[in-house]
Amino acid sequence: MFVQIKDLTFRYKNSQKPLFENLSLSFKQGEVSVILGESGSGKSTLLRLIAGLEVPSKGSILIDQAVMNDTFRFVQPEKRGVGLVFQDYALFPHMTVEKNIKFGLTKMNRKQKQARMEELLTIVGMEDYASRYPYELSGGQQQRVALARAMAPNPSLIMFDEPFSNLDSKLQLQIRDELQEILKRTGITSIFVTHDEEDARAIGDRIILMNNGKIQDEGRPEMVLQKSKEKLSLAYV
Amino acid sequence: MYYIRKMRSQFNSWALLSVIFSILILLPALLIMVQLFAESNENWEHIKEYMLKNYIVNSVTLVSFTGLFTVLIGVSAAWLVSAYKVPMHRFFKWGLILPLAIPPYIGAYTYHGILNYTGVIQTSLRNQFGIKVDQKFFDIMNIPGAVFIFTMFLYPYVYIITKSFLENQSSSLIENARLLGKGSFMTFIQVVLPVSRAAIVGGVSLVILEVFNDYGVVKYFGIQTFSTAIFQAWFGMGDIYSAIKLAGTLMFIVVLILILEKVIRGRKQYSYSTSKVRPLQPKELKGWKKFAVLSFFLSLFALAFAIPFIQLLHWVYMTYDVILSAAFADLIWNSVFVAAVGSLLIIMVALIIANFSRLSKGWTGKFFSKITVLGYSIPGAVIAIGVLTLFLFLDQKVISLYEWLGLEPTLVLSLSISMLIFAYVVRFLAVGFNSIESGFDKVGTVFTEASRTLGMSVTKTFFKVDIKMIKGAIAGGFILVFVDILKELPLTLILQPFNFYTLATKTFQYASDERIHEASVSSMVIICISALSIFFLHRVLEKEPK
Ligand SMILES: Nc1ncnc2c1ncn2[C@@H]1O[C@H](COP(=O)(O)OP(=O)(O)OP(=O)(O)O)[C@@H](O)[C@H]1O
Ligand SMILES: [Mg+2]
């Protein structure tokens, strides 16, 4: 197992009740997992915990056999080697596309940085936009730059928080397919968060159905979605 | 267990530095509090028995009436400016803030100079019209006079906060009231006043703190208050002990007022930082109403800015050739030096604490941001006494250390420039901090988080991302602090090193020696720099696209 989450308990400071209680979950190497759930079910929070942006009150997180977080250890986000594409992209507004992508390439010299940047721009099909600023790009273009930026440092795990939410439906399909293609080609372990069943079905090797901080079901897309449909129709009857 | 986790995830040099700075900032106030409960001495018994009541009565009278009048003037000006259009509307919008550029002590001696026996009004009456007037109608060196001065030069605090609230937050309420057929006056009474209560209270509490902080006006007018008593105890009797007791009592009163402010304001914040709000559209006024509003604006602007400004200009014209000299250049250099160093330090400390406080979620962060605000609530004279106590104590330690080492004691900290600058940091940290914190609030934490998942540490992120995104807030904070230090009087008077004067203290010295014409040049420098900064902050920064 590439990512292992054990007995994780987490509560936001200003809420009474923990969002996660003794949550256990794992992700296989090279797999594309999709976390599917309604708004407020805790999908973003789970990604933040894996990335090290939130501190759990109990439990442990392991990535690639290494302990990221348990009672006595806490690996800072910058040391985890985890890429995260944020829900609203979070491209640095004061940097060009080029600078944004080179931002995470700390261990390379200038030539290597340039080469890696160009490589990624080609992958996401944005070769001509290196000198633009984020506000000069469309939503879909920003999304691709965010993807390139997250992939540039070669993370062992990449996570996407609702990457398609700001796109119109046509662009959504196109980018989804592109992304799937890129992920397959690079063989990188990835976790997707979405509330759209279609997306989940199209892109996921595995679906994790989340509701109110709890895992309701997990498994192959067809099975999970089939089951949830049956439940739904049962409820209607 | 949870705290071990929390510590592991958050302990770093930012936390350490924030703790150290906060302790340093707190120390002067803590020392005063501790000493407040120390044993009493004879002098203090005497003060308590015979004078304290007088100080309290005078201070409370000044504060209550100034509070009342600043609310009346500030709120009505804010309402009229945001709801109606009159000729020169755009000018008045920020022009009515301009009186803030004139520190009340400068306003006080200028008005005294205008009104006294040799002033422009009485001489004109005598020479042109042969009228001799009863002096008592022209004497402003009393409590009502001080209230007038404070009101004229402090009402902008109420005006600014209420205006920005009305312009940005309340449009739907007010438009609804108009649609329901309420007249302007009823809208004002029934809707505007209640909804902007929190904003008004926020503004007037700044006014009250300024009045408690004031030394220049009351000293010049000969009114006994806490500040004058603290000066009297320290400079007049060399009794630091009674000075501390007085400072402690004043601090206690200020804390009470701050609590009262929280209670009155309730849970409402006066700035909801929601992103998109529709601004209130001002209505065109016609006929006598237009005339009435216009004359209100004009007379307010004249009394609170134009008249004293023109008078000062005239005095500058009379005296500049005597005043402008190498000594004056020194004065400017001193002022700019302490203000620049102080502002730089404040911005650095504020950046460190604000960054730590926003990244550490939960109560620790809030706690630190509250500490920094403390200094601004405490009157300058009180902070000065606290800082003095701290440095005298440190000096004792240093001297005994030198003696123990068998050396001549050379390093004396008290009454050095570093002590003065340290005191400025304690007093004005809040000003820089608020500016930087609101800058951070606007950009949020998502860019920081993005940077960290891309492999940058907190510190690298700070330099590569955070600081670049709040440039405007940093510049704004620097300007605000710089001007505040430039104008500062009571704290500087107590702590300035021997033979070291700033523009503010020199102005005050000239005025106290009844050389008010000579005071005008340094006053003018202070006013022009302040006015420029107001222009910059309220016109240039406001126009910047968000
Ligand atoms: N910073 C925060 N402080 C307090 N509570 C929060 C915070 N962020 C999220 N929550 C709460 O935690 C719960 C889970 O939020 P989360 O953002 O993880 O949901 P989500 O599944 O990503 O929703 P969405 O699909 O809308 O993005 C919600 O009830 C939310 O209100
Ligand atoms: Mg989310």
Side-chain angles (χ1 to χ4, degrees):
Chain A
M1 280 297 153
F2 192 71
V3 180
Q4 274 176 295
I5 297 170
K6 264 191 232 140
D7 295 331
L8 199 69
T9 299
F10 174 79
R11 179 175 68 85
Y12 273 113
K13 264 267 128 49
N14 41 9
S15 75
Q16 300 295 317
K17 193 173 139 295
L19 179 56
F20 299 123
E21 257 182 305
N22 296 318
L23 181 82
S24 296
L25 186 62
S26 44
F27 300 92
K28 265 200 212 113
Q29 179 130 34
E31 203 176 49
V32 179
S33 311
V34 177
I35 302 176
L36 181 65
E38 280 169 18
S39 180
S41 56
K43 307 178 301 284
S44 300
T45 310
L46 185 62
L47 297 194
R48 294 174 60 79
L49 280 159
I50 296 173
L53 299 173
E54 301 288 349
V55 187
S57 52
K58 196 171 144 280
S60 63
I61 298 173
L62 279 77
I63 297 178
D64 202 7
Q65 324 288 325
V67 178
M68 293 293 126
N69 196 178
D70 62 15
T71 306
F72 296 101
R73 271 167 289 188
F74 184 86
V75 177
Q76 296 291 341
E78 63 267 23
K79 299 270 160 60
R80 293 194 179 196
V82 173
L84 176 57
V85 179
F86 288 79
Q87 206 158 355
D88 41 11
Y89 313 141
L91 294 174
F92 303 123
H94 61 294
M95 296 180 194
T96 58
V97 168
E98 173 179 348
K99 288 267 168 55
N100 262 287
I101 293 176
K102 285 180 177 172
F103 187 84
L105 305 175
T106 41
K107 294 189 188 75
M108 297 183 182
N109 66 28
R110 274 179 59 186
K111 253 197 178 147
Q112 288 168 316
K113 277 187 191 174
Q114 186 67 21
R116 180 75 180 145
M117 193 269 298
E118 280 166 9
E119 182 188 346
L120 275 154
L121 280 184
T122 319
I123 293 180
V124 298
M126 296 276 297
E127 302 92 324
D128 302 335
Y129 296 88
S131 55
R132 295 266 188 109
Y133 280 93
Y135 60 85
E136 298 168 329
L137 300 175
S138 72
Q141 291 168 334
Q142 289 185 23
Q143 202 259 324
R144 286 188 255 178
V145 176
L147 171 65
R149 184 179 73 175
M151 298 208 331
N154 243 329
S156 55
L157 168 70
I158 189 162
M159 309 191 287
F160 300 86
D161 195 350
E162 311 246 6
F164 313 127
S165 54
N166 291 344
L167 310 180
D168 65 50
S169 54
K170 191 162 152 253
L171 201 57
Q172 184 173 340
L173 286 184
Q174 183 200 335
I175 293 206
R176 193 176 72 194
D177 294 343
E178 279 174 19
L179 195 58
Q180 188 175 27
E181 215 265 317
I182 294 167
L183 292 174
K184 280 273 141 353
R185 187 143 38 95
T186 48
I188 189 170
T189 313
S190 52
I191 305 175
F192 261 88
V193 155
T194 181
H195 57 251
D196 184 318
E197 281 190 18
E198 261 323 296
D199 285 345
R201 191 200 305 277
I203 209 166
D205 296 329
R206 193 172 67 121
I207 290 188
I208 295 152
L209 206 59
M210 184 176 260
N211 187 8
N212 240 329
K214 293 194 179 59
I215 295 180
Q216 275 198 329
D217 200 359
E218 60 175 302
R220 296 178 53 77
E222 311 82 59
M223 297 178 56
V224 172
L225 293 176
Q226 187 60 35
K227 255 198 271 177
S228 81
K229 234 184 229 137
E230 279 164 14
K231 248 190 221 155
L232 212 65
S233 49
L234 271 181
Y236 274 118
V237 174
Chain B
M1 279 310 166
Y2 180 60
Y3 288 99
I4 298 180
R5 285 172 177 263
K6 202 79 188 163
M7 287 281 282
R8 296 261 356 133
S9 68
Q10 281 181 359
F11 187 78
N12 54 28
S13 41
W14 293 83
L16 190 68
L17 283 176
S18 297
V19 171
I20 293 174
F21 288 141
S22 305
I23 290 175
L24 282 175
I25 302 285
L26 269 182
L27 261 183
L30 280 180
L31 277 178
I32 286 186
M33 293 235 265
V34 170
Q35 306 256 350
L36 187 59
F37 300 105
E39 254 176 63
S40 189
N41 76 358
E42 207 177 298
N43 208 355
W44 170 240
E45 284 301 325
H46 177 83
I47 294 175
K48 211 162 65 178
E49 180 111 17
Y50 299 104
M51 344 249 288
L52 197 60
K53 200 177 135 223
N54 191 24
Y55 302 151
I56 294 182
V57 169
N58 283 348
S59 295
V60 169
T61 313
L62 284 174
V63 161
S64 327
F65 283 101
T66 307
L68 178 70
F69 289 124
T70 49
V71 167
L72 284 177
I73 292 178
V75 174
S76 35
W79 163 241
L80 294 172
V81 150
S82 28
Y84 301 106
K85 251 198 176 115
V86 293
M88 301 201 291
H89 183 250
R90 287 161 54 86
F91 166 75
F92 283 124
K93 259 175 103 167
W94 73 273
L96 290 178
I97 305 175
L98 266 185
L100 219 49
I102 304 183
Y105 58 87
I106 294 180
Y109 84 76
T110 309
Y111 263 107
H112 174 65
I114 294 174
L115 293 172
N116 70 11
Y117 187 74
T118 54
V120 55
I121 293 183
Q122 291 205 38
T123 34
S124 313
L125 286 177
R126 265 198 313 275
N127 299 345
Q128 317 286 321
F129 306 100
I131 304 174
K132 283 214 172 158
V133 292
D134 188 343
Q135 288 306 314
K136 79 168 184 248
F137 295 120
F138 282 83
D139 180 18
I140 59 160
M141 300 183 83
N142 45 38
I143 290 186
V147 170
F148 168 75
I149 295 292
F150 285 136
T151 304
M152 282 301 113
F153 301 107
L154 297 178
Y155 83 83
Y157 284 116
V158 181
Y159 168 76
I160 295 173
I161 297 180
T162 314
K163 170 169 96 61
S164 83
F165 174 84
L166 289 175
E167 279 176 346
N168 299 323
Q169 317 280 350
S170 61
S171 53
S172 54
L173 285 171
I174 291 169
E175 276 156 17
N176 265 326
R178 280 176 176 170
L179 285 179
L180 290 171
K182 296 268 178 197
S184 320
F185 185 70
M186 285 324 268
T187 308
F188 180 69
I189 299 291
Q190 292 187 338
V191 180
V192 175
L193 278 185
V195 298
S196 43
R197 183 187 67 180
I200 298 171
V201 171
V204 80
S205 54
L206 284 177
V207 170
I208 289 174
L209 293 178
E210 283 296 326
V211 175
F212 273 123
N213 176 54
D214 172 76
Y215 171 70
V217 176
V218 287
K219 170 71 183 163
Y220 189 67
F221 282 3
I223 301 167
Q224 290 279 321
T225 63
F226 273 100
S227 330
T228 59
I230 291 171
F231 273 79
Q232 174 65 15
W234 172 234
F235 287 111
M237 304 185 257
D239 180 5
I240 182 113
Y241 179 84
S242 299
I244 291 174
K245 291 273 187 189
L246 283 164
T249 316
L250 178 51
M251 200 161 85
F252 180 72
I253 296 177
V254 167
V255 169
L256 278 186
I257 287 174
L258 290 178
I259 294 173
L260 193 69
E261 185 212 331
K262 284 271 167 327
V263 174
I264 298 181
R265 201 201 281 174
R267 280 174 54 81
K268 267 196 231 139
Q269 287 290 322
Y270 50 81
S271 64
Y272 313 101
S273 56
T274 46
S275 47
K276 291 277 181 292
V277 272
R278 199 160 31 93
L280 179 63
Q281 287 304 321
K283 253 189 352 193
E284 201 83 46
L285 270 185
K286 297 210 174 61
W288 69 271
K289 282 185 181 166
K290 177 165 104 182
F291 180 74
V293 172
L294 188 62
S295 28
F296 172 64
F297 286 165
L298 275 176
S299 31
L300 186 57
F301 182 74
L303 282 173
F305 189 80
I307 292 175
F309 187 80
I310 292 166
Q311 174 66 81
L312 281 168
L313 265 185
H314 182 232
W315 289 338
V316 168
Y317 175 72
M318 285 160 59
T319 54
Y320 73 94
D321 48 344
V322 193
I323 296 293
L324 292 181
S325 61
F328 193 73
D330 271 353
L331 214 54
I332 290 190
W333 165 247
N334 285 350
S335 288
V336 169
F337 175 76
V338 288
V341 174
S343 315
L344 267 180
L345 281 174
I346 283 174
I347 293 299
M348 272 159 50
V349 173
L351 276 171
I352 289 171
I353 299 183
N355 195 40
F356 170 68
S357 128
R358 89 191 166 113
L359 294 181
S360 69
K361 296 147 192 154
W363 65 269
T364 27
K366 284 215 188 81
F367 176 72
F368 283 107
S369 63
K370 286 284 172 292
I371 286 181
T372 59
V373 184
L374 194 72
Y376 200 64
S377 323
I378 303 177
V382 177
I383 288 180
I385 295 296
V387 169
L388 194 62
T389 321
L390 174 66
F391 276 68
L392 288 174
F393 172 79
L394 286 180
D395 267 350
Q396 276 175 11
K397 295 286 159 220
V398 171
I399 289 171
S400 47
L401 179 72
Y402 272 98
E403 276 168 359
W404 185 72
L405 291 171
L407 297 169
E408 276 291 300
T410 46
L411 179 77
V412 177
L413 299 168
S414 41
L415 293 177
S416 63
I417 290 195
S418 33
M419 178 171 82
L420 179 63
I421 289 175
F422 173 72
Y424 285 142
V425 175
V426 175
R427 168 102 173 98
F428 294 122
L429 181 60
V431 179
F433 185 86
N434 284 341
S435 177
I436 283 169
E437 193 182 41
S438 67
F440 273 143
D441 277 353
K442 257 188 218 137
V443 298
T445 51
V446 66
F447 298 108
T448 313
E449 291 173 350
S451 161
R452 300 205 55 202
T453 60
L454 289 166
M456 295 289 173
S457 65
V458 175
T459 307
K460 275 193 188 141
T461 301
F462 175 74
F463 286 109
K464 290 194 141 186
V465 178
D466 298 335
I467 224 177
K468 302 241 163 88
M469 306 206 46
I470 57 162
K471 269 190 213 147
I474 293 177
F478 183 90
I479 294 174
L480 282 175
V481 177
F482 187 92
V483 170
D484 265 342
I485 295 183
L486 196 75
K487 294 194 289 194
E488 210 292 330
L489 185 67
L491 182 154
T492 318
L493 277 178
I494 297 182
L495 298 181
Q496 63 191 356
F498 181 67
N499 252 339
F500 179 96
Y501 291 96
T502 63
L503 286 168
T505 57
K506 197 70 183 177
T507 303
F508 181 74
Q509 198 195 30
Y510 277 137
S512 317
D513 297 346
E514 287 302 329
R515 295 162 67 186
I516 51 182
H517 296 183
E518 278 102 319
S520 63
V521 181
S522 43
S523 302
M524 202 43 118
V525 176
I526 293 177
I527 292 172
C528 287
I529 294 178
S530 311
L532 270 180
S533 82
I534 288 173
F535 179 75
F536 181 75
L537 291 171
H538 289 270
R539 287 279 294 176
V540 182
L541 286 188
E542 250 179 23
K543 267 198 204 152
E544 229 176 44
K546 299 277 149 61

